[in-house]
Amino acid sequence: MTSPKHPSFAPEKTLDPTDWVAFREQAHRMLDAAVDRMETYREGSIWNPFPPALQANYQGPLPVEGIGAEATQAHLTALLPFGVGNTHPRFFGWVHGSGTPSNLMADITAAAINANLGGRDHGAMYVEKQVMNWCRELFQFPETSSGLIVSGTSIATVIALKAARDRCFNFSNRKTGLQQNALGPLVGYTSEQTHSCVARAFDILGLGSDALRKIAVNERFEMDTLALQATIAKDRAAGLTPFVIVGTAGAVNVGSIDDLETLADISKAENIWFHIDGAFGALGVLSERLSPRLSGIKRADSLAFDFHKWLHVNYDAGFILMRSEEDHRRTFSERPEYLKGAERGLAAGNPWPVEYGPELSRGFRALKVWAQLAEHGTAKLGALITQNCEQAAYLGELVEAHAHLRLMAPVAMNICCFRYQAEGQDDKTTDALNGEIVIQLQIQGIAAPSTTLVNGRNAIRVNITNHRTTRADLALLVQEIERIGLELTALS
Ligand SMILES: Cc1ncc(COP(=O)(O)O)c(C=O)c1O
């Protein structure tokens, strides 16, 4: 269109396809390639190092002229085999969920809608509210609780501990900062088995990681609650202000569950915020086998957990659940004039998620969580959690029956830590041998456990948050560890 003032206006540009038929065909081809990849998850190597030829594709200069849709799609398709391996049935490393093919539909829908869930009144917000209400129901939190979908437990922990910290100052510190606070140094408590994200949250919140006391654990790797009480008393006597106890429902090293009921009792008696890191373990409430040990969750002030771990939602999706909506909102709420709500129209839908966390722009993670729960239901998802625990127990039995394998910790949940022990080998050599066994399993594309230290010694750590794993996969793992162990010992 021309203008009297600008008769030579050029036609406007857009990023939309000029040929929608061609785009549709291209999208179908991409979908086929993605489904082919998913249908063959069990086949081939568990992990394929990224070839130098493909690495080179990601080392070029910033493109001034684009390469176009076809060439871009060729790059996307070429990436498909080079994931971390967590979609394979024998991926046992760290704590990775395995995802589901059907979650792709939610991701396609979310990409097509391209919603921003910082606030406002639109369909996506109702989906997130439904997920929030489901979480409330799942963990038996009151009507007055609140929550937010986030990328994962690390950021959920920061949000929770900020609320715990700010409540100590009746939220005045949000304006005045912590430089001159009337309470003196704040201190918090967790177990020696805690995940590093808790200390990181202390650091991010300006408290310093030294302010986090790591309480010793018992022989089951659960926090020693007597030691906790003694440390709190000592800190109070020294003029410090205890402000949070962080319990763990599923510790990352060995899967232990703290005595959450006792921690809730201590928090109540001491008037200290009770937070639970339930990154993977909290969803054990869906499993008949685990739920009795997780009864203390419903007493927490805040709970951080992930949908991308034991609910197998595609990466990434975590959640922060807060007992007090008011505390939660007062920790983050800030509504400048350009974000003002309204009774009607698009700016309605109060309160907005931006009032419950640090982010304004937020993607539609809620949809894939909703879709996973809606399609599969809690009964099936819970049964899969039980299945993984039974598989870990089965692996523990295989280990105990094996001449060269030693169990390093009780199998409390879904994690089995053990090591290969060659005859007459000292601890240090055995540490190195087990590290090498794990690397060989990964490089040879057989299985992907990770390693950790248990009581100071290197262990092969098998975490099963994988709905594709079978007992046959675990038998194969043991067989291959034996083979590699023998080969490496013969070489040394
Ligand atoms: C017990 C525990 N807490 C926290 C985290 C951090 O979670 P995320 O990676 O989702 O930030 C993990 C990750 O494995 C974990 O196992």
Side-chain angles (χ1 to χ4, degrees):
M1 199 181 278
T2 57
S3 132
K5 276 196 182 164
H6 302 278
S8 60
F9 258 168
E12 281 97 338
K13 295 179 172 50
T14 167
L15 296 175
D16 282 339
T18 44
D19 179 349
W20 280 96
V21 174
F23 176 77
R24 189 178 294 271
E25 277 170 11
Q26 194 197 357
H28 284 178
R29 267 186 283 127
M30 191 67 226
L31 182 61
D32 276 339
V35 175
D36 285 348
R37 171 73 195 112
M38 292 186 289
E39 202 178 353
T40 55
Y41 276 152
R42 181 174 273 283
E43 292 168 20
S45 257
I46 190 162
W47 170 66
N48 301 299
F50 203 41
L54 288 185
Q55 288 181 31
N57 288 340
Y58 300 95
Q59 290 160 356
L62 179 68
V64 177
E65 299 299 331
I67 57 174
E70 283 295 333
T72 304
Q73 178 159 348
H75 284 299
L76 300 184
T77 310
L79 273 178
L80 282 169
F82 298 102
V84 71
N86 56 323
T87 52
H88 192 284
R90 287 190 296 280
F91 188 92
F92 306 126
W94 305 277
V95 189
H96 280 47
S98 42
T100 57
S102 55
N103 231 201
L104 184 69
M105 311 303 172
D107 272 341
I108 290 175
T109 312
I113 299 175
N114 191 23
N116 178 352
L117 278 83
R120 293 158 279 266
D121 190 3
H122 50 107
M125 304 293 291
Y126 293 81
V127 178
E128 180 151 348
K129 275 183 197 148
Q130 170 72 94
V131 172
M132 163 62 214
N133 284 329
W134 281 348
C135 289
R136 207 181 254 156
E137 188 181 331
L138 194 57
F139 294 107
Q140 299 178 50
F141 266 50
E143 282 295 306
T144 45
S145 57
S146 55
L148 192 71
I149 296 185
V150 291
S151 57
T153 292
S154 299
I155 187 67
T157 305
V158 173
I159 293 173
L161 299 194
K162 174 163 159 52
R165 181 195 72 181
D166 294 359
R167 191 184 63 166
C168 291
F169 302 102
N170 198 22
F171 306 94
S172 62
N173 64 305
R174 289 192 61 199
K175 195 158 177 315
T176 57
L178 290 174
Q179 315 278 28
Q180 290 165 354
N181 86 69
L183 297 176
L186 302 188
V187 280
Y189 308 86
T190 191
S191 95
E192 278 172 350
Q193 290 293 312
T194 197
H195 192 272
S196 59
C197 74
V198 180
R200 196 138 42 108
F202 270 61
D203 166 16
I204 292 168
L205 293 171
L207 301 167
S209 54
D210 283 353
L212 179 65
R213 309 281 194 252
K214 298 213 178 135
I215 307 295
V217 291
N218 62 22
E219 68 291 349
R220 294 184 303 279
F221 296 85
E222 300 159 4
M223 197 193 305
D224 177 341
T225 52
L226 290 177
L228 168 67
Q229 282 169 303
T231 312
I232 294 172
K234 202 167 144 217
D235 282 343
R236 285 205 197 279
L240 307 177
T241 300
F243 83 105
V244 70
I245 295 174
V246 180
T248 307
V252 63
N253 277 327
V254 299
S256 53
I257 303 173
D258 284 337
D259 178 350
L260 302 175
E261 292 283 2
T262 301
L263 293 185
D265 291 341
I266 296 172
S267 302
K268 193 163 176 228
E270 297 279 353
N271 191 23
I272 300 177
W273 185 288
F274 180 32
H275 173 71
I276 296 180
D277 175 349
F280 62 97
L283 282 165
V285 296
L286 293 174
S287 152
E288 280 173 16
R289 183 184 172 115
L290 293 179
S291 63
R293 293 162 61 202
L294 297 168
S295 61
I297 289 184
K298 61 177 176 299
R299 299 176 59 196
D301 290 300
S302 53
L303 168 70
F305 69 96
D306 286 325
F307 299 110
H308 57 224
K309 292 190 164 79
W310 237 349
L311 212 66
H312 309 292
V313 168
N314 286 2
Y315 277 85
D316 51 19
F319 200 76
I320 179 64
L321 184 60
M322 294 272 202
R323 173 164 303 279
S324 162
E325 185 275 341
E326 189 188 344
D327 285 348
H328 193 179
R329 191 167 22 84
R330 289 183 74 192
T331 304
F332 288 100
S333 184
E334 183 70 66
R335 294 288 290 270
E337 67 284 4
Y338 47 85
L339 292 178
K340 234 172 84 161
E343 289 298 314
R344 292 174 300 117
L346 195 45
N350 277 298
W352 291 7
V354 66
E355 296 191 69
Y356 298 102
E359 293 179 321
L360 173 56
S361 292
R362 304 173 62 245
F364 197 3
R365 292 187 181 108
L367 189 58
K368 54 192 176 179
V369 180
W370 178 88
Q372 194 84 318
L373 284 160
E375 179 180 348
H376 300 293
T378 55
K380 187 171 181 188
L381 292 162
L384 287 167
I385 290 175
T386 303
Q387 177 174 296
N388 282 165
C389 294
E390 286 168 358
Q391 288 167 334
Y394 168 73
L395 177 60
E397 286 163 21
L398 293 183
V399 165
E400 287 191 305
H402 199 287
H404 287 135
L405 300 180
R406 304 271 176 279
L407 202 57
M408 303 287 283
V411 179
M413 217 192 313
N414 60 323
I415 297 178
C416 182
C417 288
F418 58 97
R419 68 196 215 142
Y420 184 89
Q421 178 72 63
E423 238 140 270
Q425 248 180 14
D426 62 24
D427 278 345
K428 218 168 143 213
T429 317
T430 306
D431 284 345
L433 173 67
N434 281 274
E436 187 55 31
I437 289 174
V438 167
I439 290 174
Q440 285 304 323
L441 285 166
Q442 295 169 358
I443 289 177
Q444 294 179 31
I446 299 161
S450 53
T451 59
T452 194
L453 291 183
V454 179
N455 292 326
R457 301 268 57 115
N458 206 16
I460 300 174
R461 178 178 165 285
V462 174
N463 162 84
I464 318 178
T465 39
N466 193 327
H467 62 88
R468 298 189 180 100
T469 303
T470 62
R471 282 191 298 279
D473 287 311
L474 298 170
L476 179 74
L477 172 74
V478 169
Q479 182 190 312
E480 291 296 296
I481 288 174
E482 166 79 356
R483 174 184 65 80
I484 296 170
L486 283 173
E487 281 171 14
L488 291 173
T489 317
L491 288 176
S492 63

